[in-house]
């Protein structure tokens, strides 16, 4: 948590000290930076950061925060010693974003704002959605269009024409108490002949853990930080069930860095040019890589391409939800601690918020259009924010997955990712599932009980006791996926 908040603070501080540029090169220069790319997008949108009063004089500064004294970690920054995690000795930073919104971790209406989910069973012109036909022909297409164009990004049609050449290499064979398995390196090289001048060739790379003698087995794809070995529980839960497990190295396809949005996969499709406001960001680009993996599985008899699951944690939890919504061939998914632009509601001001993603270290995840929904709804105001007028929210993205099963997970002390909010998203997406004949969230309790899994519906939710991790919920997700795969 400290690292995330520090990066956010530094980026916001940097943004506040520079004037918005008014002109940019027509074509990105060789030394393009994330700051330049982000500000160029803001110029396209006709928006800029406002001139804010000093933080000490800001009437919207939360009353319960104080400056950290000189000599302590993060001295000079704002902290809340007794806020959302009072039993911890850590100090938590309460920062102000570039559009003036302070982070919030207090569950009170005047601080969280009024959460008002849109009605999924009513079209944008107010007509009721009563049948599955209404959903597929009317409501889902308009939700999909708005989700993609305004927040998560449109994948250009040209991306569908890119060819991928695959190499599958055996690294070694491992024996374990839950079965023998091969560890293989799977590499997909994307054809760059449509724009040979691209600086970095995008690659789909993954480490595949495959049961020895596998034939038509399910496979779980995990968005992964490849600098770390997989947690043993991931491999155990898959291999013990006879499933394959693949860790995908998404940053070789599209780096998690705005300086490369004119390079790699997105740059290849755009022929090195700037993105347009509705264009895809890193999350959607990574989902394109999963789609190509499924293409590969469809031609490989060792794996069953009709039984593919996708998982991811934190920013990769965001990518998992986007992938499930964008790629209809994914059978089941596990969205872990995904926060804003993932399963947390955009309209709920708790922990990470949409405006905090405008920073130069995170904006690359989404379509540039999301930035136009930041700032107060009324000039000179504070709450509500402009995102209240968005035609979609996280529950709309989740509804695009219907009726396919999704498992949502979070932690009791992970307020940055608003675990309670992700429960609300799961609850509020349920009507779309039920309209299509699937069970939505089945939860008899008024609120989620920690360490109790609500897994009887196609939408499942579990709030583990703990913070920002995924492995605590992995065994429960595996049970959930097993039920789906065995149907």
């Amino acid at each position: 948590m400290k690292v995330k908040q520090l990066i956010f603070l530094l980026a916001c501080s940097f943004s506040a000290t520079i004037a918005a540029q008014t002109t940019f090169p027509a074509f990105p220069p060789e030394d393009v930076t994330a700051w330049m790319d982000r500000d160029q997008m803001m110029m396209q949108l006709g928006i800029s950061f406002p001139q804010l009063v000093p933080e000490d004089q800001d009437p919207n500064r939360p009353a319960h925060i104080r400056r950290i004294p000189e000599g302590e970690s993060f001295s000079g920054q704002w902290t809340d010693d007794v806020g959302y995690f009072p039993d911890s000795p850590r100090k938590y930073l309460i920062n102000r974003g570039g559009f003036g919104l302070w982070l919030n971790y207090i569950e009170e209406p005047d601080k969280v704002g009024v959460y008002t989910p849109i009605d999924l069973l009513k079209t944008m012109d107010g007509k009721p959605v009563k049948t599955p036909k209404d959903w597929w022909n009317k409501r889902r297409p308009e939700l999909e269009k708005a989700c993609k164009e305004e927040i998560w990004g449109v994948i250009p049609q040209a991306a569908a024409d890119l060819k991928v050449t695959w190499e599958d290499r055996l690294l070694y064979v491992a024996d374990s108490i839950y079965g023998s398995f091969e560890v293989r390196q799977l590499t997909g090289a994307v054809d760059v002949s449509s724009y040979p001048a691209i600086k970095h060739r995008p690659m789909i790379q993954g480490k595949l853990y495959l049961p020895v003698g596998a034939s038509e087995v399910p496979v779980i794809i995990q968005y992964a930080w490849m600098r770390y070995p997989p947690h043993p529980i991931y491999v155990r839960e898959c291999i013990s069930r006879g499933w394959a497990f693949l860790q995908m190295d998404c940053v070789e396809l599209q780096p998690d860095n705005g300086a490369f949005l004119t390079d790699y996969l997105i740059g290849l499709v755009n022929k090195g040019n700037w993105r347009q406001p509705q264009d895809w960001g890193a999350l959607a680009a990574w989902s394109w890589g999963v789609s190509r993996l499924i293409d590969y599985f469809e031609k490989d008899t060792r794996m069953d391409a009709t039984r593919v699951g996708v998982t991811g944690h934190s920013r990769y939890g965001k990518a998992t939800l986007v992938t499930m919504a964008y790629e209809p061939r994914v059978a089941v998914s596990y969205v872990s601690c995904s926060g804003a632009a993932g399963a947390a509601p955009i309209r709920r001001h708790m922990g990470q918020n949409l405006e905090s993603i405008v920073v130069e270290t995170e904006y690359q995840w989404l379509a540039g259009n999301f930035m136009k929904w930041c700032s107060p709804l009324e000039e000179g105001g504070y709450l509500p924010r402009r995102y209240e007028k968005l035609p979609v929210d996280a529950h709309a993205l989740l509804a695009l997955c219907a009726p396919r099963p999704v498992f949502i997970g979070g932690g009791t002390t992970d307020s940055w990712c608003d675990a309670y909010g992700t429960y609300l998203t799961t609850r509020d997406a349920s009507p779309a599932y039920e309209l299509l004949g699937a069970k939505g969230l089945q939860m008899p309790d008024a609120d989620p009980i920690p360490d109790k899994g609500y897994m009887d519906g196609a939408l499942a939710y579990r709030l583990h006791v703990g913070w920002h991790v995924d492995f605590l919920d992995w065994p429960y997700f595996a049970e959930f996926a097993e039920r789906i795969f065995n149907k």
Side-chain angles (χ1 to χ4, degrees):
M1 182 66 70
K2 277 187 175 183
V3 173
K4 286 182 183 177
Q5 291 181 319
L6 180 59
I7 291 172
F8 171 57
L9 174 69
L10 293 175
C12 287
S13 298
F14 184 88
S15 297
T17 62
I18 60 173
Q21 290 182 273
T22 56
T23 59
F24 290 89
F27 193 83
E30 286 289 321
D31 59 350
V32 65
T33 66
W35 285 270
M36 183 185 296
D37 183 272
R38 193 279 313 274
D39 291 349
Q40 194 274 346
M41 178 59 70
M42 293 180 73
M43 184 197 72
Q44 287 190 55
L45 295 168
I47 60 176
S48 60
F49 289 116
Q51 292 294 319
L52 301 173
V53 300
E55 292 177 343
D56 293 276
Q57 302 170 26
D58 190 343
N60 299 310
R61 176 171 57 83
H64 62 282
I65 67 175
R66 65 173 181 82
R67 294 277 192 188
I68 300 175
E70 196 69 32
E72 295 186 21
S73 297
F74 309 118
S75 63
Q77 311 308 330
W78 299 97
T79 185
D80 174 12
D81 289 328
V82 295
Y84 64 98
F85 196 6
D87 296 330
S88 172
R90 296 171 184 253
K91 287 183 172 62
Y92 291 88
L93 303 182
I94 308 294
N95 308 318
R96 185 178 69 175
F99 288 97
L101 184 63
W102 291 83
L103 292 178
N104 171 62
Y105 297 99
I106 296 180
E107 192 76 62
E108 295 176 0
D110 64 327
K111 296 179 175 63
V112 176
V114 179
Y115 171 56
T116 51
I118 60 170
D119 189 343
L120 295 179
L121 300 187
K122 202 173 273 186
T123 62
M124 289 182 183
D125 59 2
K127 295 179 181 177
V129 177
K130 297 181 178 180
T131 67
K133 184 178 179 180
D134 289 341
W135 174 261
W136 293 113
N137 293 344
K138 299 176 183 177
R139 186 55 168 150
R140 191 185 188 281
E142 67 180 11
L143 288 175
E144 181 179 22
K145 184 175 187 293
C147 280
K148 290 181 175 181
E149 291 182 354
E150 302 298 337
I151 302 291
W152 289 281
V154 176
I155 298 179
Q157 182 58 42
D161 298 327
L162 296 175
K163 293 183 169 45
V164 181
T165 303
W166 293 96
E167 178 187 356
D168 180 1
R169 181 166 58 93
L170 176 66
L171 300 179
Y172 59 90
V173 178
D175 290 319
S176 71
I177 59 173
Y178 38 86
S180 299
F181 57 93
E182 299 174 350
V183 180
R184 311 186 70 90
Q185 182 67 40
L186 189 60
T187 303
V190 180
D191 179 23
V192 298
S193 60
S194 60
Y195 185 62
I198 195 76
K199 288 175 286 200
H200 295 94
R201 183 177 189 175
M203 308 286 284
I204 304 169
Q205 293 197 349
K207 189 165 284 188
L208 177 64
Y209 299 78
L210 186 70
V212 170
S215 176
E216 299 291 331
V217 301
V219 55
I220 302 292
I221 301 170
Q222 182 195 46
Y223 288 113
W225 286 271
M226 300 301 288
R227 62 184 179 271
Y228 304 118
H231 193 288
I233 203 166
Y234 306 152
V235 180
R236 184 194 75 193
E237 294 296 333
C238 290
I239 298 300
S240 65
R241 289 175 167 82
W243 304 347
F245 173 68
L246 185 143
Q247 287 196 300
M248 178 178 165
D249 185 1
C250 17
V251 297
E252 294 297 322
L253 180 63
Q254 185 64 49
D256 193 9
N257 186 326
F260 296 102
L261 287 173
T262 55
D263 195 5
Y264 287 87
L265 177 62
I266 294 175
L268 173 64
V269 173
N270 286 346
K271 294 181 168 48
N273 216 329
W274 305 107
R275 289 190 303 162
Q276 295 300 303
Q278 76 280 0
D279 284 353
W280 55 344
L283 301 184
W286 297 339
S287 80
W288 181 92
V290 168
S291 295
R292 304 293 73 78
L293 281 167
I294 297 174
D295 291 344
Y296 178 79
F297 297 155
E298 288 178 337
K299 299 175 182 178
D300 190 327
T301 59
R302 296 172 300 177
M303 285 159 285
D304 183 352
T306 68
R307 293 188 292 169
V308 174
V310 177
T311 79
H313 173 67
S314 196
R315 68 191 58 192
Y316 292 154
K318 304 179 202 294
T320 297
L321 185 53
V322 169
T323 303
M324 188 73 176
Y326 281 36
E327 175 47 77
R329 293 174 295 175
V330 177
V332 64
S333 62
Y334 166 29
V335 179
S336 172
C337 300
S338 57
I346 292 171
R347 286 167 168 73
R348 219 175 95 88
H349 177 36
M350 175 65 73
Q352 184 187 36
N353 57 63
L354 192 68
E355 296 190 27
S356 69
I357 296 175
V358 179
V359 296
E360 295 81 3
T361 54
E362 297 181 0
Y363 81 99
Q364 70 274 1
W365 297 336
L366 304 173
N369 265 337
F370 90 92
M371 291 187 280
K372 73 184 184 185
W373 298 100
C374 300
S375 75
L377 183 58
E378 297 181 1
E379 187 174 354
Y382 187 65
L383 291 177
R385 310 298 286 186
R386 190 171 294 174
Y387 49 63
E388 283 284 346
K389 295 297 184 181
L390 260 170
V392 290
D393 206 330
H395 68 301
L397 185 68
L398 180 55
L400 296 182
C401 307
R404 292 166 297 144
V406 181
F407 181 102
I408 306 283
T412 55
T413 55
D414 188 12
S415 295
W416 175 254
C417 288
D418 188 13
Y420 184 78
T422 61
Y423 147 68
L424 296 175
T425 291
T426 312
R427 180 198 71 185
D428 295 335
S430 291
Y433 275 76
E434 290 159 2
L435 180 70
L436 298 177
K439 287 184 179 180
L441 179 65
Q442 303 294 295
M443 197 180 84
D445 304 307
D447 284 312
I449 295 175
D451 280 347
K452 180 178 179 179
Y454 301 95
M455 304 193 302
D456 291 336
L459 287 177
Y461 179 84
R462 187 172 188 274
L463 178 67
H464 64 252
V465 174
W467 80 301
H468 193 66
V469 296
D470 66 341
F471 62 86
L472 293 175
D473 293 318
W474 243 87
Y476 303 92
F477 162 65
E479 291 177 13
F480 181 71
E482 186 171 38
R483 189 177 77 218
I484 306 308
F485 290 154
N486 288 345
K487 280 185 177 179

